[in-house]
Amino acid sequence: MSFNDAAEVHRYIGGIFREAFEDDEIGPRLRATGIVLQFRFSEPDAVVVIDTVNSTVTDGTGAARPTAVMSTSADTGNAYWQGKVNLPLAMARGRVKVEGNVAGLLKLAPLGKKLYPRYVDTLKRDGRDDLLI
């Protein structure tokens, strides 16, 4: 099963970043990257902008200019946040396309590992077992 609409992509994938900004350990490290990352998801179409400088997560409306843009399917994004996607390999195979500051984007990957269990817990808590891989 997949996300039903853009609102669910924002709720779950955007939500993991909102949670990260509030974490005493991860938040400062995330802000220290200084990047503005725009996710362009397909199936369903959704834009999620993570502004690490200002600790915001938006749909791109009024957001700062992205320093990196990542394009992928929402299913791949969901799988990534469950620890099931190797980002460099997915980039090499074309499942994930990246423009801009790739080095800055890769700095985020180690932080993601601490968030995988929280993402899975959120899906379970909300009864979204259909999204679990």
Side-chain angles (χ1 to χ4, degrees):
M1 189 86 170
S2 299
F3 293 111
N4 294 315
D5 53 31
E8 284 192 349
V9 174
H10 283 274
R11 173 177 170 76
Y12 294 106
I13 296 178
I16 198 63
F17 282 96
R18 287 184 196 92
E19 191 171 322
F21 284 129
E22 294 176 8
D23 185 275
D24 291 338
E25 177 190 350
I26 300 169
R29 293 175 60 198
L30 185 57
R31 286 185 281 281
T33 66
I35 70 167
V36 177
L37 173 60
Q38 181 183 77
F39 289 103
R40 292 182 189 161
F41 294 108
S42 60
E43 304 173 44
D45 291 344
V47 173
V48 178
V49 177
I50 313 303
D51 182 340
T52 64
V53 176
N54 296 303
S55 302
T56 60
V57 180
T58 68
D59 64 0
T61 306
R65 181 181 205 150
T67 54
V69 177
M70 179 185 289
S71 301
T72 191
S73 71
D75 284 345
T76 298
N78 176 52
Y80 174 81
W81 285 106
Q82 294 182 58
K84 307 295 185 186
V85 174
N86 176 298
L87 185 57
L89 186 58
M91 290 167 58
R93 291 188 174 164
R95 286 182 59 202
V96 175
K97 294 185 172 98
V98 179
E99 303 168 35
N101 184 351
V102 176
L105 176 62
L106 292 175
K107 286 181 188 176
L108 295 176
L111 299 176
K113 292 178 183 179
K114 294 181 180 253
L115 296 170
Y116 299 158
R118 294 181 190 187
Y119 182 81
V120 171
D121 288 346
T122 298
L123 294 176
K124 288 179 180 177
R125 182 186 68 232
D126 288 357
R128 292 305 307 267
D129 294 345
D130 60 306
L131 291 173
L132 295 173
I133 296 173

